[in-house]
Amino acid sequence: MSTASSSSSHDGGDVGGGDFEGPSHSRQRFNTAVWPEPFLEALATQIAIDAAIELGRLAAAPALSNFFQVCRTWRSISQSDPLWQTLTRRIWHRHRLLHPSWHEEFIYRHRTATNFRSRSYTYATLNFPPNDDNNNEALYCCRLALSDHHLAAGFSDGSVRLFHLPTRLHVTTFHPHQRNHLGLFSRAVSGIFFTGNRLVFGSLDGDIHVASIDVPGAPRRAHLGDVVTDGVLVDFTGCSRWWVGLYAGVPNCAFHVRNSDTEELVFIGGTLMDPDAVNGWHLLTDLTEHIGRIRITSDDLAVGFTSQRVIVFDLRNQMILGEEEFRRQINVGVADAYDEAVLFVNGRGVANVRQVRSLDEICRFMARGSLLGCINGGYCFISVGGGVRVWELDHGGSLYILGELIGDAAAMVADERYAAAYGGDNRIHLWDFGARL
């Protein structure tokens, strides 16, 4: 495979290319006719997945390279696009094509992940217009979200600015419907995410808006929040199936789960935020504290954090699968979950990476002085000392510090190609690790 061009162990050799050059008598010992293609595809899939689980995702390509070199028949399996589709989904958790074939998609994901490890990226800052209302209200970025082609930034005035990533240009600004507010920051964006061609965002007062990326126009208010009845919407996230809000201020109402298609409420309950009720109300007048986070990972699981607890919640069956109380409080600003990993950092600066479903420990490392953080499928990004330090998640190894100073970060996000942060310099910083095929 042209997964990588060099011969290093991380690049994976030339998977799917080249002839087997062993002695002729060795080749004659293989009776490849007895190996049907479906069996070989299943074997290649299992070998790649086992390598990824044991050694990390970048180990899948070298394992496949060795497999394809056995003989010409085994190498022919590398031409099966369904094989690459399965591997791309299982190893890279990618379900949509950005490239002409699944083979090329796998290659791109491998090379991009290699770029994260080797600090190979392009850097830019995103410029956005000042407050469009001309009321001299200072803008403060509260949340960032990424999709394949866009970045969205949610601000303290409730507005959301949309950027086109290939051109780095500001596309439009969405303004929510205005109404009476309880507290200076009640309309501040508390959560934002992409789903298909829609952008969904919520504010501390509980309002939820939906905007179309492709069709210009004002966002639609999908839900009118009621702070007195529901509490403060501390964090908000979603995917193609669910919208999940994390609320503080009203007992036994921590989770509000909605069906993303019908937008109807299907579950409300949970005590996760009960100890932080007062802090929840304080957010309406002071945005400096992080008191709770909610993340949706694979397999319809949600992970909720406070400074004292983490829980794993099954969205489909609406039940708690696991929970843990922390002996030392954690920094909620650095708590994150992505795919199959959970990250949190305690007050002593010890970062802990866990498996989502079981909460079993994967690794730990030191991250003293951490202010804000996020993870993607293989790497951790933490704002420390005015810069961003990067670790790998499989073993907790420290890799490097990004070359640009950003000050104290107020919002951070990362996916399988980009990392972005809103820094203390009031700019949006963007790092693009995307590989070139």
Side-chain angles (χ1 to χ4, degrees), residues 176-188:
H177 292 262
Q178 297 298 318
R179 63 188 181 101
N180 293 329
H181 297 287
L182 180 64
L184 176 63
F185 296 115
S186 61
R187 58 182 177 175

Side-chain angles (χ1 to χ4, degrees), residues 300 304 426:
D300 295 320
N426 298 320

Side-chain angles (χ1 to χ4, degrees), residues 334 343 365 374-376 378-382 389-393:
V334 192
L343 167 76
F365 54 89
C374 63
I375 62 174
N376 65 9
Y379 304 94
C380 165
F381 305 83
I382 295 182
R389 182 178 288 276
V390 182
W391 287 264
E392 56 89 16
L393 293 180

Side-chain angles (χ1 to χ4, degrees), residues 197-221:
N197 64 347
R198 299 189 303 171
L199 179 66
V200 186
F201 58 99
S203 51
L204 288 173
D205 60 10
D207 281 4
I208 299 174
H209 285 82
V210 180
S212 172
I213 297 173
D214 302 325
V215 181
R220 170 178 60 87
R221 184 157 57 196

Side-chain angles (χ1 to χ4, degrees), residues 124-423:
T125 57
L126 304 182
N127 298 314
F128 53 90
N131 194 320
D132 297 335
D133 294 335
N134 295 319
N135 59 5
N136 297 320
E137 181 180 339
L139 282 180
Y140 176 86
C141 183
C142 308
R143 296 290 189 274
L144 294 170
L146 288 164
S147 72
D148 289 333
H149 303 292
H150 294 90
L151 178 143
F155 288 84
S156 54
D157 67 345
S159 64
V160 174
R161 282 156 175 77
L162 184 68
F163 300 85
H164 184 238
L165 288 171
T167 62
R168 311 288 196 261
L169 295 178
H170 172 258
V171 176
T172 189
T173 298
F174 298 109
H175 292 281
H177 292 262
Q178 297 298 318
R179 63 188 181 101
N180 293 329
H181 297 287
L182 180 64
L184 176 63
F185 296 115
S186 61
R187 58 182 177 175
V189 174
S190 58
I192 185 170
F193 60 90
F194 292 91
T195 171
N197 64 347
R198 299 189 303 171
L199 179 66
V200 186
F201 58 99
S203 51
L204 288 173
D205 60 10
D207 281 4
I208 299 174
H209 285 82
V210 180
S212 172
I213 297 173
D214 302 325
V215 181
R220 170 178 60 87
R221 184 157 57 196
H223 173 69
L224 179 65
D226 186 343
V227 176
V228 176
T229 301
D230 299 326
V232 176
L233 181 53
V234 172
D235 202 8
F236 180 58
T237 190
C239 62
S240 60
R241 295 180 181 178
W242 314 104
W243 298 354
V244 185
L246 185 64
Y247 289 76
V250 177
N252 301 312
C253 293
F255 299 103
H256 290 214
V257 181
R258 295 179 179 273
N259 182 300
S260 65
D261 292 326
T262 65
E263 301 176 4
E264 294 179 350
L265 190 67
V266 297
F267 175 82
I268 181 171
T271 62
L272 178 65
M273 299 302 298
D274 286 6
D276 293 284
V278 175
N279 292 331
W281 293 112
H282 285 170
L283 291 178
L284 298 175
T285 56
D286 184 0
L287 285 177
T288 59
E289 186 178 7
H290 297 278
I291 66 169
R293 276 192 169 179
I294 186 73
R295 296 289 185 266
I296 294 178
T297 67
S298 56
D299 300 325
D300 295 320
L301 302 182
V303 182
F305 301 92
T306 68
S307 62
Q308 298 176 324
R309 291 173 64 197
V310 58
I311 73 165
V312 181
F313 186 77
D314 185 335
L315 294 169
R316 183 183 296 275
N317 299 305
Q318 287 136 32
M319 59 184 294
I320 294 177
L321 297 181
E323 64 179 307
E324 180 175 332
E325 287 199 24
F326 302 118
R327 289 185 298 172
R328 296 185 178 89
Q329 290 190 352
I330 68 164
N331 179 354
V332 178
V334 192
D336 200 10
Y338 190 103
D339 279 343
E340 298 175 356
V342 173
L343 167 76
F344 52 83
V345 179
N346 67 23
R348 292 189 175 182
V350 179
N352 205 279
V353 183
R354 305 282 188 91
Q355 294 177 352
V356 168
R357 185 173 288 273
S358 65
L359 291 179
D360 290 340
E361 183 176 290
I362 298 174
C363 67
R364 62 176 59 191
F365 54 89
M366 293 303 301
R368 289 191 179 95
S370 56
L371 299 173
L372 203 68
C374 63
I375 62 174
N376 65 9
Y379 304 94
C380 165
F381 305 83
I382 295 182
S383 170
V384 180
V388 177
R389 182 178 288 276
V390 182
W391 287 264
E392 56 89 16
L393 293 180
D394 292 325
H395 306 289
S398 177
L399 296 179
Y400 51 82
I401 299 176
L402 294 175
E404 296 75 25
L405 291 176
I406 66 170
D408 294 341
M412 291 185 71
V413 68
D415 64 8
E416 298 298 77
R417 174 171 176 173
Y418 298 99
Y422 181 81

